Amino acid sequence: MRSAHRPVIAIAGGGPAGLLTALLLARQPELDVRVYERAQEPESWSAQSYTISLNEKGQRALAEAGALDAVRSVGLERKHAVMHMAGSPDPILRDRPGVSTSRPGLVACLRALVVAEGRAHLCDGAAVADVVAHAPPRDLPGLMLVLEDGSQVLCSHVVGCDGKWSRVRASAATLAAARGEPVWQPQLVDEGSWGVLFEMGAAAPAGLAPDAIHLFLPANTQGHCYGIASSLPDHRGPQSHGSSRPGAVDAGGASAPPAGPHPASWHATLVIFDSAAQRWPGLEPRDDAGGDAGHGSWNADAGEATESAGRAAIDALLADELPDFAAAVSGARAVVVRRRASWVRLGGPPTLAALGGRVALVGDAGHSMTPSMGEGCNTALESAACLAGAVARALTAWREGRPASSSAQAVGDGPGADCGGGRGHADQAVPSVHGNDESRHSTRRPNDLRLLDEALSAAFAEYGESRSPIVANVQAKSAAASTRR
């Protein structure tokens, strides 16, 4: 449970949320942070890669970790949002600066930063199957990760960043129920729309600018669909990932951030509402989801890239509702019909923490989103920064000999501003998630590891309770945008 008298924080999932959580938590010298990722190798760029548009909250979280400049260097700067209204010859241009990247590009960039700092351990090919209680007679109580290969990892706390079908969430709920504690009751919620991905080439469709996100809307406000098109960074250059095998001591080796994006390919998605199926027979989402709120992976909703049997119905829909979008995607190599938009309503106690603060959920494990508003990754990155901020405040209190409860103070600028909890003046001194020289070398640092353990649990619990209502509100808005009411 402890390594060299340091609590082990096990992070399940090496996606953007898990890596940012690791990057921030590992800067606290008292913590031994380890990331357990199912995949043997980091995901590579493919035609299924999608655009992640980093909004203010996502950029702010990355900036807090010192990662935004690196992500910008491999992403694409966005300047505008362009709305193309069916029947109108003149698009509407709005300034909307931002940064877009692909999921593989963001993962590669964050991995490179984790490896470069050398504080957290990356364990690839290590899928978490279960989380069980561990109570040794001569040590502090904690948890044990059980990996799919049967190996076991002792830890004090677990962060579930393992996606919409989280095993950490399911295991923690089972443990809580056995203890008679309030338990999460996750429910998979299907919404009234689905997406169709158009696999595009590198050439920009006529009239579309690569520094903008293009939104195609039907002339009728009660239309049955809308389209989105944007350029997509293509990170297919050779990289050194610097990962370690499960149980290794170091992340090992040097790693470079991904090379700058190749000439951008284009990504286009058509969102179809259920009402369209009544008017254009043959329109339907993929029906092979075959899962529940406990099984699958981050890309379980995507499926394989196959030519759609309903292409004729899609073409008819576009001809009637979005002729400009139809022209933009006319050169698509293939069409992929996705599953119905869905998300997981956590249910149960209104918190993202469980087991007395020994488990916390970050990202899709605790607040999966439908894709309509582009909030999934941004909210996940913000949650990672919020958890790290709560831990930083708790450790500052522990170093100064104050009780853990005194660390729940107001949060000023930065990601903490949207993390919930108390509110105070923006210029109030707030401990940085990076730690600082004074706190790292405090002469008042207690030696009682039990108090350190309690401080961490209090921080996880604080994060869970304060963050839950915020992300639930974003989930609700995102779900509403995915259904034509």
Side-chain angles (χ1 to χ4, degrees):
M1 185 178 69
R2 299 197 305 270
S3 173
H5 304 292
R6 295 193 301 163
V8 173
I9 310 297
I11 299 174
L19 290 169
L20 185 61
T21 301
L23 186 65
L24 291 169
L25 290 183
R27 291 172 179 169
Q28 302 299 331
E30 295 86 358
L31 305 182
D32 180 350
V33 179
R34 307 176 185 182
V35 180
Y36 295 88
E37 164 58 31
R38 172 185 296 273
Q40 293 281 355
E41 294 288 340
E43 62 203 64
S44 59
W45 193 97
S46 73
Q48 290 291 300
S49 299
Y50 56 87
T51 299
I52 292 176
S53 296
L54 295 170
N55 62 22
E56 182 180 355
K57 66 172 66 169
Q59 292 184 57
R60 197 166 57 217
L62 291 169
E64 178 72 10
L68 182 56
D69 287 344
V71 173
R72 283 184 182 276
S73 71
V74 299
L76 295 175
E77 293 288 338
R78 301 288 189 204
K79 297 179 181 179
H80 310 289
V82 182
M83 290 189 293
H84 304 261
M85 303 293 296
S88 174
D90 300 317
I92 300 172
L93 182 69
R94 293 182 178 175
D95 291 335
R96 188 176 295 178
V99 180
S100 291
T101 185
S102 64
R103 192 179 193 277
L106 181 57
V107 166
C109 197
L110 290 173
R111 282 179 67 93
L113 292 171
V114 170
V115 170
E117 293 196 4
R119 295 174 174 139
H121 314 309
L122 299 179
C123 303
D124 293 332
V128 174
D130 200 1
V131 181
V132 299
H134 177 69
R138 296 183 181 87
D139 203 350
L140 298 177
L143 299 171
M144 178 187 292
L145 290 188
V146 180
L147 305 182
E148 286 188 353
D149 64 3
S151 57
Q152 300 173 340
V153 180
L154 298 180
C155 54
S156 65
H157 295 76
V158 175
V159 184
C161 300
D162 51 340
K164 183 176 178 179
W165 319 100
S166 171
R167 295 308 307 162
V168 170
R169 182 183 67 219
S171 299
T174 299
L175 277 176
R179 297 179 179 184
E181 299 174 2
V183 60
W184 291 316
Q185 299 173 356
Q187 176 188 2
L188 185 65
V189 181
D190 287 329
E191 296 296 342
S193 64
W194 68 93
V196 178
L197 171 67
F198 294 82
E199 294 183 9
M200 311 290 288
L208 302 191
D211 62 353
I213 293 179
H214 297 265
L215 179 63
F216 295 82
L217 301 173
N220 186 344
T221 58
Q222 297 301 313
H224 304 278
C225 62
Y226 65 89
I228 302 172
S230 63
S231 55
L232 176 67
D234 179 354
H235 303 102
R236 284 181 279 192
Q239 299 168 33
S240 171
H241 300 294
S243 64
S244 64
R245 302 301 300 155
V249 175
D250 295 308
S255 178
H262 289 247
S265 58
W266 278 79
H267 172 275
T269 298
L270 173 67
V271 178
I272 303 175
F273 295 103
D274 280 350
S275 57
Q278 301 174 11
R279 181 171 173 183
W280 292 273
L283 291 176
E284 57 184 13
R286 291 177 66 96
D287 61 358
D288 57 346
D292 55 29
H295 298 84
S297 63
W298 72 267
N299 59 353
D301 293 330
E304 296 295 325
T306 56
E307 187 73 21
S308 169
R311 180 64 186 267
I314 293 172
D315 289 343
L317 168 67
L318 292 181
D320 290 346
E321 297 256 310
L322 298 176
D324 291 343
F325 185 78
V329 301
S330 60
R333 296 189 296 260
V335 177
V336 181
V337 177
R338 296 186 180 274
R339 299 185 177 107
R340 186 177 300 281
S342 66
W343 56 289
V344 175
R345 180 185 289 118
L346 200 54
T351 178
L352 298 177
L355 303 177
R358 293 215 172 265
V359 173
L361 303 180
V362 171
D364 284 354
H367 47 81
S368 64
M369 310 275 177
T370 62
S372 299
M373 293 173 56
E375 284 286 356
C377 184
N378 287 291
T379 305
L381 295 175
E382 185 180 62
S383 290
C386 289
L387 175 60
V391 169
R393 294 190 297 274
L395 291 185
T396 296
W398 175 78
R399 295 178 191 119
E400 296 173 354
R402 293 185 283 114
S405 60
S406 68
S407 68
Q409 54 185 281
V411 179
D413 295 334
D418 292 322
C419 294
R423 289 290 183 266
H425 298 293
D427 59 355
Q428 183 174 354
V430 178
S432 168
V433 295
H434 301 290
N436 54 61
D437 291 339
E438 180 180 358
S439 64
R440 286 175 180 269
H441 301 93
S442 173
T443 58
R444 299 183 60 192
R445 182 173 174 176
N447 292 320
D448 190 341
L449 293 180
R450 185 173 297 277
L451 291 180
L452 173 58
D453 185 76
E454 292 174 356
L456 288 171
S457 295
F460 275 44
E462 174 200 336
Y463 156 80
E465 293 177 6
S466 62
R467 187 70 177 150
S468 177
I470 294 174
V471 297
N473 184 51
V474 181
Q475 281 183 300
K477 291 180 178 179
S478 182
S482 297
T483 300
R484 180 68 73 207
R485 304 293 181 183

